[in-house]
Amino acid sequence: MGEKQARNTQEWSVSLAKGPQPENSKRKPGAVGLGRAKVTINDIARLSGVSKKTVSRVINNSPQVREETRKKVKAIILEHGFTPDPQARALALRRSYLVGMIYDNPSPQYIVNMQRGILDVLSDTSYQLVLRPCDRTDYDFYEKIETFITLQKPYGVILTPSVSEDEDLANMLREMKCDYVRIASVELDKPTKMVRTHDFKGAAQAAQHIASLGHERIAHIHGPNTFRSAHQRRHGFEHGLEICGLKLAKSLTLEGAYTFDSGYECAQKLFAMKSPPTAVFAGNDEMAVGVYQAARQVGMQVPKDITIVGFDDTPVASRVWPPMTTVRLPIRDMGRAAASLLLNPHDEDRPENFKDGEIISFEPELIVRGSTARISKK
Amino acid sequence: MGEKQARNTQEWSVSLAKGPQPENSKRKPGAVGLGRAKVTINDIARLSGVSKKTVSRVINNSPQVREETRKKVKAIILEHGFTPDPQARALALRRSYLVGMIYDNPSPQYIVNMQRGILDVLSDTSYQLVLRPCDRTDYDFYEKIETFITLQKPYGVILTPSVSEDEDLANMLREMKCDYVRIASVELDKPTKMVRTHDFKGAAQAAQHIASLGHERIAHIHGPNTFRSAHQRRHGFEHGLEICGLKLAKSLTLEGAYTFDSGYECAQKLFAMKSPPTAVFAGNDEMAVGVYQAARQVGMQVPKDITIVGFDDTPVASRVWPPMTTVRLPIRDMGRAAASLLLNPHDEDRPENFKDGEIISFEPELIVRGSTARISKK
DNA sequence: CTGAAAGCGCTTACAG
DNA sequence: CTGAAAGCGCTTACAG
């Protein structure tokens, strides 16, 4: 049996001067000695007067090292700016320092924000973010991911909706012993393996807001049925309406694809009806912008003739005119949370605000802007 | 001296059945044997009755292998679905299979499109795309990238504007023997190391279009002076105006930051002038959308009161109302070109449409939509 | 054209 | 608490 070692979650960034620097100290390329890269565990071992294995123990924070030894080795490591070679570690550990982001969300804004959040955590570490877009309808969808995992042996992967909701995939990852964190709108895994958003609540807020403005003919364009978030948002919306004594009409509930074009097309159908809705809640901002477009094309003014609410609060929401009322999801924060969960699966390493054994979750917030107004009397 | 070997540009995707598949053949996870991953070069050597080294030669397309031997080994490789372990190769070669995308462009749409283009080429290969956002104003900007390169030893990196224009960085990469491809609006490297866009021409087209509509008080919000593209677009715009007998007024030329907010702020200044411009050419779409916003805030209608032209043709251009006239840059195609240049630096491997010794370049195209109109007589 | 040996920079068992 | 040996899966010299 091997000895017990603390999981290596500590980061070995190259020991560079940190913290604020005088203005004029901006380093020029080449200022750092080229020799630095060559320092290996052997050098450190020799210089510290210990074996490679002991250096390895220090690197990996093994408790099995005398405090004195540890200090000595750490000092040498710092002095020489040694960083273990990720490729060598990967080969020996059969696990690389890559963190995969597996996504199939069609909204570019969602993707970019998520990447930013993950990168916030990975930057200045040895971990690298690698991108893995995918398509659940591909015949070799599982195979491609399986190949990626077996070949690259990523440290872990982060899954965003809707691919995060695929139980077959989660099972496959588990079987392959690949760590993962799923981001989803429903509780579908243990707290150490997921970050949750309460889409249901957010949509309910949207409903209550719309209802409070006096609307009654209210439409909903939801996301694809293959997305749990689409269901959560729809049910939350229905729930919110019910509280206000309203009901979501079947004829005014259309399925979109979370894309601009689908939002546009669904809205065209809605506006062509004999008695069109006076308010539309779209399942995400992309589709909501499509609704704006369709409204303009038929001469309807937002919000005078039509009230529109989106979901996500991606940048586009505040760039359209009038600025869109939407439900904010802190996507970047979610990415950050997912990444730190992946790197620090143990409670003690977790940020303080996350309680033991509870799923890290984010509450959406209704952002009221200019696309919603009291229904105009006709 | 080592023997000569063809550079390994061929890809070793796991040998799965390719091509169209019957509808019902969608593989379930786990359908692929778990044993597959364990096949190593030793197994292949043993099964082929040759040495590891010969298998290695076959993998690396060395010409120093008898045709018969090569066929035999290739057959075994195919049969067992062997793919060389990227981590092991990385360790031996001191070069990983990671392709870094180094970017500081503030436009999310630009980033996502670029990523897509690069991924188009990398998918189904052993190469992985890793993200490296950066900030040229960081005091340790070079250091961070240097650390990334020495630690991860990427196969190569792709640089987008403006970081692509940093000569110190390019020199550093060269010294570090790190392959790179730069995407830029000016010719700043040899043909094998860059992909070029003719922003100058695109901006000139925009100018001629605006001039042809009778505008004379024309403003330009250009990108940051630290971006070569900003200069190219500005000079191209000036050039186009000159051809039409017009001149760009200094007082109507403002510097933005390629962001929505900066476009908005610059436009506010323009519209507050005693005699505001009747047309604005923004250096990119993000800023142009800011101009839309500012126009609306002061009650100006697009295009009746103000003509607006953007640059890039990112999705947002067709999502605003009215749809924006803009200069299209095929960003995804550029990403694709950059990636294949990096993986196939030799002419013979290059796509046919790229001639020998010439820089791969893309011509922008003016997309006329609804944000430009003939000047209204007052 | 082919192979046996040594090495890339780490870690895992095993022993003390 | 510490270390010598073997190994992760490849490739580079070198030799034939």
mmCIF file of all heavy atoms in Angstrom, chain B residues 272-308:
data_model
loop_
_atom_site.group_PDB
_atom_site.id
_atom_site.type_symbol
_atom_site.label_atom_id
_atom_site.label_comp_id
_atom_site.label_asym_id
_atom_site.label_seq_id
_atom_site.Cartn_x
_atom_site.Cartn_y
_atom_site.Cartn_z
ATOM 1 N N ALA B 272 -23.483 65.865 -28.508
ATOM 2 C CA ALA B 272 -23.630 67.082 -27.704
ATOM 3 C C ALA B 272 -23.029 68.290 -28.407
ATOM 4 O O ALA B 272 -23.104 69.407 -27.914
ATOM 5 C CB ALA B 272 -22.970 66.864 -26.342
ATOM 6 N N MET B 273 -22.394 68.054 -29.549
ATOM 7 C CA MET B 273 -21.747 69.153 -30.262
ATOM 8 C C MET B 273 -22.781 70.115 -30.847
ATOM 9 O O MET B 273 -23.932 69.748 -31.054
ATOM 10 C CB MET B 273 -20.870 68.609 -31.391
ATOM 11 C CG MET B 273 -19.643 67.879 -30.883
ATOM 12 S SD MET B 273 -18.684 67.209 -32.261
ATOM 13 C CE MET B 273 -17.216 66.660 -31.381
ATOM 14 N N LYS B 274 -22.301 71.349 -31.137
ATOM 15 C CA LYS B 274 -23.202 72.340 -31.723
ATOM 16 C C LYS B 274 -23.761 71.830 -33.047
ATOM 17 O O LYS B 274 -24.960 71.843 -33.289
ATOM 18 C CB LYS B 274 -22.475 73.669 -31.919
ATOM 19 C CG LYS B 274 -22.713 74.630 -30.741
ATOM 20 C CD LYS B 274 -21.964 75.935 -30.922
ATOM 21 C CE LYS B 274 -20.520 75.796 -30.438
ATOM 22 N NZ LYS B 274 -19.724 77.022 -30.628
ATOM 23 N N SER B 275 -22.865 71.389 -33.910
ATOM 24 C CA SER B 275 -23.370 70.750 -35.129
ATOM 25 C C SER B 275 -22.850 69.315 -35.182
ATOM 26 O O SER B 275 -21.744 69.051 -35.632
ATOM 27 C CB SER B 275 -22.925 71.529 -36.379
ATOM 28 O OG SER B 275 -21.545 71.812 -36.321
ATOM 29 N N PRO B 276 -23.657 68.435 -34.680
ATOM 30 C CA PRO B 276 -23.238 67.036 -34.579
ATOM 31 C C PRO B 276 -23.113 66.384 -35.961
ATOM 32 O O PRO B 276 -23.682 66.868 -36.942
ATOM 33 C CB PRO B 276 -24.361 66.380 -33.775
ATOM 34 C CG PRO B 276 -25.520 67.302 -33.848
ATOM 35 C CD PRO B 276 -25.021 68.658 -34.170
ATOM 36 N N PRO B 277 -22.371 65.298 -36.021
ATOM 37 C CA PRO B 277 -22.211 64.597 -37.301
ATOM 38 C C PRO B 277 -23.529 63.960 -37.742
ATOM 39 O O PRO B 277 -24.410 63.712 -36.926
ATOM 40 C CB PRO B 277 -21.186 63.523 -36.976
ATOM 41 C CG PRO B 277 -21.312 63.296 -35.506
ATOM 42 C CD PRO B 277 -21.672 64.627 -34.925
ATOM 43 N N THR B 278 -23.627 63.701 -39.044
ATOM 44 C CA THR B 278 -24.815 62.994 -39.548
ATOM 45 C C THR B 278 -24.501 61.533 -39.792
ATOM 46 O O THR B 278 -25.380 60.743 -40.117
ATOM 47 C CB THR B 278 -25.306 63.624 -40.865
ATOM 48 O OG1 THR B 278 -24.280 63.465 -41.865
ATOM 49 C CG2 THR B 278 -25.618 65.105 -40.685
ATOM 50 N N ALA B 279 -23.219 61.199 -39.673
ATOM 51 C CA ALA B 279 -22.819 59.801 -39.857
ATOM 52 C C ALA B 279 -21.645 59.490 -38.942
ATOM 53 O O ALA B 279 -20.797 60.343 -38.696
ATOM 54 C CB ALA B 279 -22.428 59.543 -41.303
ATOM 55 N N VAL B 280 -21.638 58.269 -38.429
ATOM 56 C CA VAL B 280 -20.538 57.829 -37.567
ATOM 57 C C VAL B 280 -20.042 56.480 -38.040
ATOM 58 O O VAL B 280 -20.831 55.553 -38.250
ATOM 59 C CB VAL B 280 -20.998 57.695 -36.095
ATOM 60 C CG1 VAL B 280 -19.848 57.210 -35.222
ATOM 61 C CG2 VAL B 280 -21.549 59.009 -35.563
ATOM 62 N N PHE B 281 -18.733 56.389 -38.215
ATOM 63 C CA PHE B 281 -18.115 55.093 -38.500
ATOM 64 C C PHE B 281 -17.382 54.685 -37.231
ATOM 65 O O PHE B 281 -16.468 55.366 -36.775
ATOM 66 C CB PHE B 281 -17.137 55.220 -39.675
ATOM 67 C CG PHE B 281 -16.289 53.991 -39.892
ATOM 68 C CD1 PHE B 281 -16.865 52.730 -40.004
ATOM 69 C CD2 PHE B 281 -14.899 54.100 -40.009
ATOM 70 C CE1 PHE B 281 -16.082 51.596 -40.209
ATOM 71 C CE2 PHE B 281 -14.112 52.970 -40.221
ATOM 72 C CZ PHE B 281 -14.703 51.725 -40.316
ATOM 73 N N ALA B 282 -17.813 53.563 -36.664
ATOM 74 C CA ALA B 282 -17.173 53.078 -35.438
ATOM 75 C C ALA B 282 -16.176 51.985 -35.802
ATOM 76 O O ALA B 282 -16.409 51.206 -36.730
ATOM 77 C CB ALA B 282 -18.215 52.540 -34.470
ATOM 78 N N GLY B 283 -15.097 51.926 -35.054
ATOM 79 C CA GLY B 283 -14.011 50.989 -35.343
ATOM 80 C C GLY B 283 -14.368 49.527 -35.173
ATOM 81 O O GLY B 283 -13.680 48.651 -35.703
ATOM 82 N N ASN B 284 -15.405 49.245 -34.417
ATOM 83 C CA ASN B 284 -15.918 47.872 -34.374
ATOM 84 C C ASN B 284 -17.401 47.879 -34.010
ATOM 85 O O ASN B 284 -17.959 48.927 -33.660
ATOM 86 C CB ASN B 284 -15.100 46.972 -33.438
ATOM 87 C CG ASN B 284 -15.319 47.277 -31.965
ATOM 88 O OD1 ASN B 284 -15.985 48.231 -31.609
ATOM 89 N ND2 ASN B 284 -14.737 46.456 -31.109
ATOM 90 N N ASP B 285 -18.021 46.721 -34.108
ATOM 91 C CA ASP B 285 -19.461 46.642 -33.873
ATOM 92 C C ASP B 285 -19.839 46.989 -32.440
ATOM 93 O O ASP B 285 -20.860 47.633 -32.191
ATOM 94 C CB ASP B 285 -19.972 45.231 -34.190
ATOM 95 C CG ASP B 285 -19.985 44.951 -35.679
ATOM 96 O OD1 ASP B 285 -19.839 45.901 -36.472
ATOM 97 O OD2 ASP B 285 -20.141 43.767 -36.048
ATOM 98 N N GLU B 286 -19.022 46.536 -31.512
ATOM 99 C CA GLU B 286 -19.330 46.808 -30.108
ATOM 100 C C GLU B 286 -19.516 48.308 -29.876
ATOM 101 O O GLU B 286 -20.472 48.733 -29.242
ATOM 102 C CB GLU B 286 -18.182 46.310 -29.221
ATOM 103 C CG GLU B 286 -18.079 44.803 -29.109
ATOM 104 C CD GLU B 286 -19.040 44.221 -28.086
ATOM 105 O OE1 GLU B 286 -19.165 44.782 -26.991
ATOM 106 O OE2 GLU B 286 -19.685 43.203 -28.401
ATOM 107 N N MET B 287 -18.573 49.078 -30.402
ATOM 108 C CA MET B 287 -18.668 50.532 -30.215
ATOM 109 C C MET B 287 -19.852 51.084 -31.002
ATOM 110 O O MET B 287 -20.533 52.008 -30.551
ATOM 111 C CB MET B 287 -17.369 51.203 -30.645
ATOM 112 C CG MET B 287 -16.179 50.847 -29.758
ATOM 113 S SD MET B 287 -14.793 51.995 -29.923
ATOM 114 C CE MET B 287 -14.298 51.717 -31.608
ATOM 115 N N ALA B 288 -20.091 50.511 -32.175
ATOM 116 C CA ALA B 288 -21.205 50.996 -32.985
ATOM 117 C C ALA B 288 -22.535 50.819 -32.244
ATOM 118 O O ALA B 288 -23.421 51.677 -32.313
ATOM 119 C CB ALA B 288 -21.231 50.264 -34.321
ATOM 120 N N VAL B 289 -22.647 49.719 -31.519
ATOM 121 C CA VAL B 289 -23.870 49.502 -30.750
ATOM 122 C C VAL B 289 -23.984 50.554 -29.649
ATOM 123 O O VAL B 289 -25.077 51.030 -29.327
ATOM 124 C CB VAL B 289 -23.910 48.078 -30.152
ATOM 125 C CG1 VAL B 289 -25.149 47.876 -29.305
ATOM 126 C CG2 VAL B 289 -23.878 47.050 -31.263
ATOM 127 N N GLY B 290 -22.845 50.950 -29.113
ATOM 128 C CA GLY B 290 -22.845 52.049 -28.145
ATOM 129 C C GLY B 290 -23.357 53.333 -28.780
ATOM 130 O O GLY B 290 -24.046 54.131 -28.130
ATOM 131 N N VAL B 291 -23.022 53.537 -30.037
ATOM 132 C CA VAL B 291 -23.500 54.722 -30.750
ATOM 133 C C VAL B 291 -25.026 54.662 -30.911
ATOM 134 O O VAL B 291 -25.728 55.658 -30.722
ATOM 135 C CB VAL B 291 -22.818 54.861 -32.128
ATOM 136 C CG1 VAL B 291 -23.333 56.093 -32.866
ATOM 137 C CG2 VAL B 291 -21.298 54.939 -31.971
ATOM 138 N N TYR B 292 -25.526 53.497 -31.230
ATOM 139 C CA TYR B 292 -26.986 53.314 -31.315
ATOM 140 C C TYR B 292 -27.632 53.796 -30.019
ATOM 141 O O TYR B 292 -28.602 54.544 -30.020
ATOM 142 C CB TYR B 292 -27.333 51.819 -31.442
ATOM 143 C CG TYR B 292 -27.458 51.254 -32.841
ATOM 144 C CD1 TYR B 292 -26.340 51.109 -33.648
ATOM 145 C CD2 TYR B 292 -28.691 50.820 -33.340
ATOM 146 C CE1 TYR B 292 -26.439 50.538 -34.912
ATOM 147 C CE2 TYR B 292 -28.803 50.260 -34.602
ATOM 148 C CZ TYR B 292 -27.684 50.117 -35.386
ATOM 149 O OH TYR B 292 -27.790 49.553 -36.630
ATOM 150 N N GLN B 293 -27.074 53.309 -28.935
ATOM 151 C CA GLN B 293 -27.634 53.599 -27.621
ATOM 152 C C GLN B 293 -27.663 55.105 -27.354
ATOM 153 O O GLN B 293 -28.680 55.651 -26.937
ATOM 154 C CB GLN B 293 -26.757 52.908 -26.570
ATOM 155 C CG GLN B 293 -27.375 52.844 -25.206
ATOM 156 C CD GLN B 293 -28.167 51.555 -25.037
ATOM 157 O OE1 GLN B 293 -28.776 51.064 -25.995
ATOM 158 N NE2 GLN B 293 -28.153 51.015 -23.846
ATOM 159 N N ALA B 294 -26.523 55.734 -27.609
ATOM 160 C CA ALA B 294 -26.424 57.173 -27.356
ATOM 161 C C ALA B 294 -27.399 57.942 -28.236
ATOM 162 O O ALA B 294 -28.022 58.910 -27.802
ATOM 163 C CB ALA B 294 -24.992 57.652 -27.605
ATOM 164 N N ALA B 295 -27.543 57.501 -29.473
ATOM 165 C CA ALA B 295 -28.452 58.173 -30.399
ATOM 166 C C ALA B 295 -29.875 58.130 -29.858
ATOM 167 O O ALA B 295 -30.590 59.131 -29.829
ATOM 168 C CB ALA B 295 -28.376 57.507 -31.772
ATOM 169 N N ARG B 296 -30.260 56.943 -29.407
ATOM 170 C CA ARG B 296 -31.614 56.804 -28.899
ATOM 171 C C ARG B 296 -31.851 57.671 -27.680
ATOM 172 O O ARG B 296 -32.920 58.241 -27.502
ATOM 173 C CB ARG B 296 -31.865 55.346 -28.530
ATOM 174 C CG ARG B 296 -32.609 54.665 -29.618
ATOM 175 C CD ARG B 296 -32.321 53.225 -29.642
ATOM 176 N NE ARG B 296 -32.776 52.647 -30.883
ATOM 177 C CZ ARG B 296 -32.289 51.547 -31.392
ATOM 178 N NH1 ARG B 296 -31.302 50.933 -30.794
ATOM 179 N NH2 ARG B 296 -32.756 51.077 -32.524
ATOM 180 N N GLN B 297 -30.833 57.751 -26.872
ATOM 181 C CA GLN B 297 -30.996 58.497 -25.637
ATOM 182 C C GLN B 297 -31.267 59.982 -25.907
ATOM 183 O O GLN B 297 -31.932 60.636 -25.118
ATOM 184 C CB GLN B 297 -29.736 58.356 -24.787
ATOM 185 C CG GLN B 297 -30.060 58.289 -23.324
ATOM 186 C CD GLN B 297 -29.376 57.110 -22.676
ATOM 187 O OE1 GLN B 297 -28.152 57.000 -22.703
ATOM 188 N NE2 GLN B 297 -30.144 56.221 -22.103
ATOM 189 N N VAL B 298 -30.740 60.474 -27.013
ATOM 190 C CA VAL B 298 -31.006 61.882 -27.326
ATOM 191 C C VAL B 298 -32.109 62.004 -28.373
ATOM 192 O O VAL B 298 -32.291 63.055 -28.973
ATOM 193 C CB VAL B 298 -29.731 62.615 -27.816
ATOM 194 C CG1 VAL B 298 -28.685 62.630 -26.717
ATOM 195 C CG2 VAL B 298 -29.163 61.972 -29.073
ATOM 196 N N GLY B 299 -32.818 60.912 -28.597
ATOM 197 C CA GLY B 299 -33.968 60.984 -29.486
ATOM 198 C C GLY B 299 -33.653 60.984 -30.982
ATOM 199 O O GLY B 299 -34.498 61.347 -31.797
ATOM 200 N N MET B 300 -32.450 60.579 -31.341
ATOM 201 C CA MET B 300 -32.127 60.515 -32.765
ATOM 202 C C MET B 300 -32.521 59.144 -33.293
ATOM 203 O O MET B 300 -32.335 58.134 -32.627
ATOM 204 C CB MET B 300 -30.627 60.704 -32.976
ATOM 205 C CG MET B 300 -30.136 62.095 -32.613
ATOM 206 S SD MET B 300 -28.321 62.156 -32.650
ATOM 207 C CE MET B 300 -28.047 62.736 -34.309
ATOM 208 N N GLN B 301 -33.049 59.142 -34.495
ATOM 209 C CA GLN B 301 -33.433 57.864 -35.085
ATOM 210 C C GLN B 301 -32.383 57.381 -36.077
ATOM 211 O O GLN B 301 -31.853 58.159 -36.867
ATOM 212 C CB GLN B 301 -34.775 58.012 -35.797
ATOM 213 C CG GLN B 301 -35.924 58.179 -34.828
ATOM 214 C CD GLN B 301 -37.216 57.628 -35.378
ATOM 215 O OE1 GLN B 301 -37.234 56.999 -36.437
ATOM 216 N NE2 GLN B 301 -38.304 57.862 -34.677
ATOM 217 N N VAL B 302 -32.115 56.088 -36.024
ATOM 218 C CA VAL B 302 -31.207 55.445 -36.964
ATOM 219 C C VAL B 302 -32.068 54.821 -38.055
ATOM 220 O O VAL B 302 -33.009 54.089 -37.733
ATOM 221 C CB VAL B 302 -30.392 54.339 -36.258
ATOM 222 C CG1 VAL B 302 -29.374 53.739 -37.225
ATOM 223 C CG2 VAL B 302 -29.713 54.868 -34.997
ATOM 224 N N PRO B 303 -31.840 55.067 -39.315
ATOM 225 C CA PRO B 303 -30.774 55.898 -39.880
ATOM 226 C C PRO B 303 -31.254 57.302 -40.269
ATOM 227 O O PRO B 303 -30.487 58.052 -40.853
ATOM 228 C CB PRO B 303 -30.411 55.118 -41.136
ATOM 229 C CG PRO B 303 -31.727 54.562 -41.596
ATOM 230 C CD PRO B 303 -32.552 54.323 -40.376
ATOM 231 N N LYS B 304 -32.510 57.636 -39.956
ATOM 232 C CA LYS B 304 -33.053 58.911 -40.411
ATOM 233 C C LYS B 304 -32.189 60.087 -39.951
ATOM 234 O O LYS B 304 -31.796 60.949 -40.750
ATOM 235 C CB LYS B 304 -34.489 59.076 -39.884
ATOM 236 C CG LYS B 304 -35.249 60.257 -40.492
ATOM 237 C CD LYS B 304 -36.741 60.187 -40.208
ATOM 238 C CE LYS B 304 -37.095 60.527 -38.766
ATOM 239 N NZ LYS B 304 -36.846 61.931 -38.392
ATOM 240 N N ASP B 305 -31.883 60.106 -38.658
ATOM 241 C CA ASP B 305 -31.126 61.229 -38.117
ATOM 242 C C ASP B 305 -29.622 60.974 -38.070
ATOM 243 O O ASP B 305 -28.820 61.896 -38.042
ATOM 244 C CB ASP B 305 -31.613 61.539 -36.699
ATOM 245 C CG ASP B 305 -33.114 61.789 -36.659
ATOM 246 O OD1 ASP B 305 -33.602 62.465 -37.584
ATOM 247 O OD2 ASP B 305 -33.776 61.288 -35.735
ATOM 248 N N ILE B 306 -29.283 59.724 -38.010
ATOM 249 C CA ILE B 306 -27.860 59.405 -37.885
ATOM 250 C C ILE B 306 -27.549 58.083 -38.601
ATOM 251 O O ILE B 306 -28.251 57.088 -38.410
ATOM 252 C CB ILE B 306 -27.435 59.334 -36.394
ATOM 253 C CG1 ILE B 306 -25.938 59.070 -36.246
ATOM 254 C CG2 ILE B 306 -28.241 58.292 -35.636
ATOM 255 C CD1 ILE B 306 -25.068 60.280 -36.485
ATOM 256 N N THR B 307 -26.543 58.136 -39.428
ATOM 257 C CA THR B 307 -26.088 56.939 -40.134
ATOM 258 C C THR B 307 -24.956 56.313 -39.321
ATOM 259 O O THR B 307 -24.065 57.021 -38.836
ATOM 260 C CB THR B 307 -25.625 57.334 -41.552
ATOM 261 O OG1 THR B 307 -26.743 57.285 -42.446
ATOM 262 C CG2 THR B 307 -24.537 56.414 -42.071
ATOM 263 N N ILE B 308 -25.017 55.013 -39.153
ATOM 264 C CA ILE B 308 -23.995 54.330 -38.343
ATOM 265 C C ILE B 308 -23.420 53.138 -39.109
ATOM 266 O O ILE B 308 -24.165 52.353 -39.702
ATOM 267 C CB ILE B 308 -24.579 53.827 -37.001
ATOM 268 C CG1 ILE B 308 -25.154 55.000 -36.197
ATOM 269 C CG2 ILE B 308 -23.532 53.077 -36.186
ATOM 270 C CD1 ILE B 308 -25.842 54.587 -34.901
#
